[in-house]
């Protein structure tokens, strides 16, 4: 009976068994099971789909997802929502239940295909089915695969794409159609995986040319066809909708450690000791597993001991060299220009600016080692197939597989708990949300930011009620568009120019609270202001809306809370023991001996001018900016009461300075003597990103003192 079942089916079953084992039964496959997704990156990916399913079926490009983020959003690609499945299920939206998720189905398929392509790949090097199936099991329990799933990276968990690329590489001939399909599927899965598969494809094209298996003309035609098809599939998915913000160099922050192959992290081994790590090295986890490490040791010992068996190994250099070159480049990218581990840098070098911008697109560099990781697996098994007798190898692989599973049991339990036991209840329990009148077509967050504060419940509500929202969380965002939206939002709140069809929501962070206080001043008599479930809302025209009048919600007092009064000419001291704290309205970190840093894209001050306001006001800012060699310039936009009044400019050569900006008196007079000063930092930098220190704060303006005269 067993012999009648194709071995590739057994390989798929091994993948399914691993999925059931790690997920605690596979309940996450249920399309209506969504509680486990209501968090972190899973939430981001689900939201992308939940908005996308209600976009027009015929739109250009098809992957556009404008309702999620509006001017900040772009496409299904930049919410990492696996465009391949989004396109597959979208035509059937009317037939699908609410809610509906395909992430669980994708993860099950991913692990199953991991088994299938691992088997197909290993079968190129051994005809022993049992041995190959046991080796396949190591691929489906590989720590990097399940670490990605635990980190809520469902699209990035499609490591089977890498195995499929390696399978095509080791085939006897260039399989052009298969490569074309694989590259397009990779582009509709995730950009990082596309880059890895592309690297293997380039190596394959090179090896076919070196072996003279195909003419230069045919290779050129193949390359042009691949380029055209990739460009089309990427356009369909919406890759090209974002024109800025793709490249964000972060130094060695997300690097892979030199000890990555033996660094088991906190969970993956009870045998190996905990190794030091820093910053984002967790992203480059490439732990081989205790069973694989043991097999590697055995294989190396066999190579050293048995000359006779070692002689049976043959090295096809024309096959290996292009792939080894690609592996070297991917490894260097994963290690970054700050090679080391933990807080130790062994070698630091500088890349040309062009290369830095290119590699900055793939800023989480540690991931780029995955193809090399699987090449190590393949190499170890290939040597084991040759050097260890067929009689003993299945028993050895079975024992080592059991060792790896037992040793990684803590990781298994944590993955299982995270996927199976997570529960979520929306904080939006008030009847206000359940009966929001239909004349409100969109939600605007005040103030939108790059890293949203508690964005998820409101964004989920918008997606469930077919509302657009101006905010969200995206893998990439155009910072210039963000700055423009922030300026527009500020001008709107101070001008009171609220859209009658938009519900405005204010979070609880200090800057949002400052804008809420201003909204109390600028709201019209017919507007409704209230607070529900921890969110403050402004509903324009509520009192003039018949449907709204049928809903009775108690409105809080609209009298704004006055800011701290400020005497003109008094220095606001940002140093330890200074007087700045009562004036700060978000975006600042605690004072130091020299002054205070901003720690986000926006920082604000709120104050009231006491006494007579002179004909002209001047803001003097004494301070500097964080301008490391990698980022030698910083420009900080300054707005007062919603109006841009100038910018502060800093360079590495001219950093410490006192700069002055004129504040039009009418801005203060119109706002009853109150000032909300906002500093917009387009590119705040962390010292850890440029490996200057372990400081993770994103720094922009370093204020020593400010004075308004």
């Amino acid at each position: 009976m067993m012999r009648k079942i194709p071995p590739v089916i057994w390989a798929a079953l091994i993948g399914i068994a691993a999925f059931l084992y790690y997920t605690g039964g596979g309940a996450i496959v249920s399309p209506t099971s969504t509680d486990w997704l209501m968090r972190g990156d899973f939430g981001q990916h689900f939201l992308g789909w939940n908005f996308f399913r209600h976009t027009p079926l015929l739109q250009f490009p098809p992957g556009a997802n404008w309702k999620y983020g509006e001017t900040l959003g772009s496409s299904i690609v930049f919410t990492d929502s696996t465009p391949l499945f989004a396109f597959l299920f979208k035509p059937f939206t009317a037939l699908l239940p609410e809610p509906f998720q395909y992430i669980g189905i994708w993860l099950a398929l991913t692990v199953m295909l991991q088994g299938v392509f691992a088997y197909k790949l290993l079968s190129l090097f051994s005809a022993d089915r049992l041995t190959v199936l046991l080796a396949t099991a190591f691929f489906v329990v590989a720590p990097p695969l399940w670490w990605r799933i635990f980190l809520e990276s469902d699209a990035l968990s499609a490591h089977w794409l890498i195995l499929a690329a390696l399978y095509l590489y080791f085939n006897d001939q260039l399989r052009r159609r298969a490569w074309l399909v694989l590259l397009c599927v990779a582009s509709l899965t995730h950009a990082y995986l596309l880059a890895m598969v592309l690297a293997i494809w380039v190596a394959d094209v090179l090896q076919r040319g070196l072996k003279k298996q195909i003419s230069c003309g045919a290779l050129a035609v193949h390359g042009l066809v691949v380029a055209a098809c990739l460009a089309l599939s990427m356009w369909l998915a919406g890759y090209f909708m974002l024109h800025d913000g793709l490249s964000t160099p972060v130094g060695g922050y997300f690097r892979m450690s030199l000890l990555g192959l033996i660094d088991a992290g906190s969970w993956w081994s009870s045998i190996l000791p905990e190794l030091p790590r820093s910053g984002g090295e967790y992203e480059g986890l490439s732990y081989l597993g205790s069973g694989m490490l043991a097999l590697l040791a055995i294989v190396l010992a066999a190579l050293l001991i048995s000359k006779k068996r070692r002689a049976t190994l043959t090295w096809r250099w024309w096959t290996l060299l292009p792939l080894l070159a690609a592996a070297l480049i991917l490894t260097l990218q994963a290690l970054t220009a700050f090679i080391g581990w933990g807080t130790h840098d062994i070698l630091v070098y500088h890349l040309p600016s062009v290369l830095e911008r290119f590699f900055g697109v793939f800023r989480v560099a540690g991931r780029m080692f995955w193809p090399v990781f699987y090449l190590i697996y393949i190499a170890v098994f290939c040597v084991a197939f040759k050097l260890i007798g067929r009689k003993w190898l299945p028993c050895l692989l079975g024992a080592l597989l059991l060792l790896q599973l037992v040793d990684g049991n803590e990781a298994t339990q944590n993955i299982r708990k995270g996927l199976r036991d997570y529960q979520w209840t929306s904080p939006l329990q008030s009847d206000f949300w359940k009966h929001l009148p239909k004349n409100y077509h969109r939600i605007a967050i005040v103030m939108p930011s790059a890293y949203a504060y508690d964005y998820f419940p409101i964004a989920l509500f918008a997606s469930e009620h077919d509302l657009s929202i101006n905010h969200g969380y995206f893998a990439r965002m155009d910072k210039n568009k963000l700055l423009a939206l922030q300026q527009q939002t500020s001008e709107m709140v101070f001008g009171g120019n609220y859209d009658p069809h938009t519900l405005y929501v204010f979070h609880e962070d200090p800057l949002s609270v400052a804008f809420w206080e201003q909204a109390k001043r600028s709201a019209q008599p017919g507007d409704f202001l209230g607070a529900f479930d921890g969110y403050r809302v402004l509903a324009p025209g509520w009192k003039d809306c018949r449907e709204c009048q049928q809903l009775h919600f108690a409105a809080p007092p609209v009298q704004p809370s006055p800011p701290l009064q400020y005497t003109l000419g008094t220095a606001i001291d940002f140093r330890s023991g200074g007087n700045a704290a009562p004036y700060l309205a978000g975006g600042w970190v605690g004072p130091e001996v020299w002054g205070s840093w901003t720690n986000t894209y926006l920082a604000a001050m709120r104050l009231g001018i006491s006494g007579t306001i002179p004909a002209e006001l001047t803001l003097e800012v004494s301070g500097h900016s964080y301008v490391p060699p990698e980022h030698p310039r910083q420009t900080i936009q300054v707005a007062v009461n919603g109006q841009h009044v100038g910018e502060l400019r800093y360079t590495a050569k001219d950093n410490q300075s006192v700069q002055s900006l004129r504040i039009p008196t009418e801005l203060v007079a119109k706002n009853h003597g109150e000032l909300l000063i906002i500093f917009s930092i387009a590119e705040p930098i962390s010292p850890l990103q440029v490996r200057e220190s372990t400081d993770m704060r994103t720094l922009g303006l370093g204020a020593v003192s400010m004075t308004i005269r």
Side-chain angles (χ1 to χ4, degrees), residues 432 440 503-504 516 523-532 537-543 548 551-556 558:
F432 175 84
Y440 292 101
L503 179 72
Y504 295 90
W516 171 250
Q524 301 301 314
D527 298 341
F528 173 81
L529 294 98
F532 304 97
V537 300
L538 188 157
W542 182 279
K543 297 175 184 177
C548 305
L551 307 174
H552 302 286
F553 298 107
V558 296

Side-chain angles (χ1 to χ4, degrees), residues 225-303:
V225 171
V226 165
C229 290
L230 266 184
L232 177 61
S233 67
M234 293 174 74
W235 174 81
L236 290 171
Y239 277 84
F240 307 128
M241 293 180 67
L242 189 65
H243 303 295
D244 193 17
L246 286 172
S247 180
T248 310
V250 291
Y253 183 72
F254 291 114
R255 70 183 178 186
M256 173 193 166
S257 169
L258 282 173
L259 302 178
L261 294 174
I262 60 172
D263 182 4
S266 302
W267 304 340
W268 291 95
S269 178
S270 58
I271 300 172
L272 295 176
E274 183 86 7
L275 296 175
R277 65 188 64 84
S278 69
E281 283 186 4
Y282 67 91
E283 281 283 359
L285 184 136
S286 298
Y287 176 55
L288 289 171
S290 52
M292 277 301 297
L293 285 172
L295 182 60
L296 176 60
I298 292 170
V299 165
L300 291 174
L303 279 171

Side-chain angles (χ1 to χ4, degrees), residues 219-502:
L219 280 178
V221 170
H222 173 57
L224 289 173
V225 171
V226 165
C229 290
L230 266 184
L232 177 61
S233 67
M234 293 174 74
W235 174 81
L236 290 171
Y239 277 84
F240 307 128
M241 293 180 67
L242 189 65
H243 303 295
D244 193 17
L246 286 172
S247 180
T248 310
V250 291
Y253 183 72
F254 291 114
R255 70 183 178 186
M256 173 193 166
S257 169
L258 282 173
L259 302 178
L261 294 174
I262 60 172
D263 182 4
S266 302
W267 304 340
W268 291 95
S269 178
S270 58
I271 300 172
L272 295 176
E274 183 86 7
L275 296 175
R277 65 188 64 84
S278 69
E281 283 186 4
Y282 67 91
E283 281 283 359
L285 184 136
S286 298
Y287 176 55
L288 289 171
S290 52
M292 277 301 297
L293 285 172
L295 182 60
L296 176 60
I298 292 170
V299 165
L300 291 174
L303 279 171
L304 293 173
I305 293 171
S306 176
K307 290 184 179 181
K308 183 177 180 181
R309 290 186 177 180
R310 188 164 67 239
T312 63
L313 296 175
T314 56
W315 308 97
R316 296 180 292 173
W317 290 111
W318 287 124
T319 297
L320 293 176
L321 283 176
L323 190 57
L324 291 175
L328 176 62
I329 294 171
L330 291 171
T331 300
L332 289 174
Q333 186 178 359
L335 294 173
T336 75
F338 300 84
I339 300 174
W341 68 83
T343 58
H344 303 287
D345 293 330
I346 306 302
L347 175 64
V348 177
Y349 60 94
H350 294 283
L351 290 170
S353 58
V354 174
L355 287 179
E356 185 174 307
R357 285 195 297 271
F358 173 76
F359 288 125
V361 175
F362 305 100
R363 59 192 177 194
V364 189
R367 300 170 179 171
M368 304 306 287
F369 190 74
W370 294 340
V372 187
F373 174 90
Y374 288 113
L375 276 174
I376 294 171
Y377 262 44
I378 295 165
V380 171
F381 282 119
C382 285
V383 177
F385 294 157
K386 291 284 188 179
L387 300 188
I388 302 175
R390 291 181 59 184
K391 181 179 179 181
W392 300 107
L393 186 55
C395 297
L396 176 63
L397 293 182
L400 294 179
L401 178 63
L402 181 61
L403 167 66
Q404 186 152 320
L405 290 173
V406 172
D407 190 37
N409 183 61
E410 184 180 357
T412 303
Q413 296 304 320
N414 282 300
I415 294 167
R416 190 177 295 167
K417 182 178 180 181
L419 293 176
R420 184 184 61 186
D421 300 339
Y422 186 83
Q423 299 293 321
W424 187 80
T425 301
S426 172
L428 306 183
Q429 297 298 312
S430 170
D431 286 343
F432 175 84
W433 307 105
K434 299 174 185 177
H435 303 291
L436 187 69
K438 294 180 180 179
N439 63 303
Y440 292 101
H441 304 153
R442 65 187 289 267
I443 292 176
I445 301 297
V446 184
M447 167 66 78
S449 62
Y451 300 107
Y453 172 83
D454 195 23
Y455 80 101
F456 184 77
I458 296 294
L460 179 64
F461 173 83
S463 72
E464 292 173 340
H465 293 80
D466 198 22
L467 305 171
S468 67
I469 188 169
N470 71 335
H471 200 15
Y473 183 72
F474 309 97
R476 296 290 188 276
M477 182 188 295
D478 189 328
K479 298 298 191 304
N480 291 324
K481 289 183 178 179
L482 173 63
L483 291 173
L485 177 61
Q486 290 171 339
Q487 180 64 26
Q488 291 167 9
T489 302
S490 182
E491 291 173 358
M492 175 198 66
V493 173
F494 277 91
N497 303 315
Y498 300 107
D499 176 20
H501 302 297
T502 298

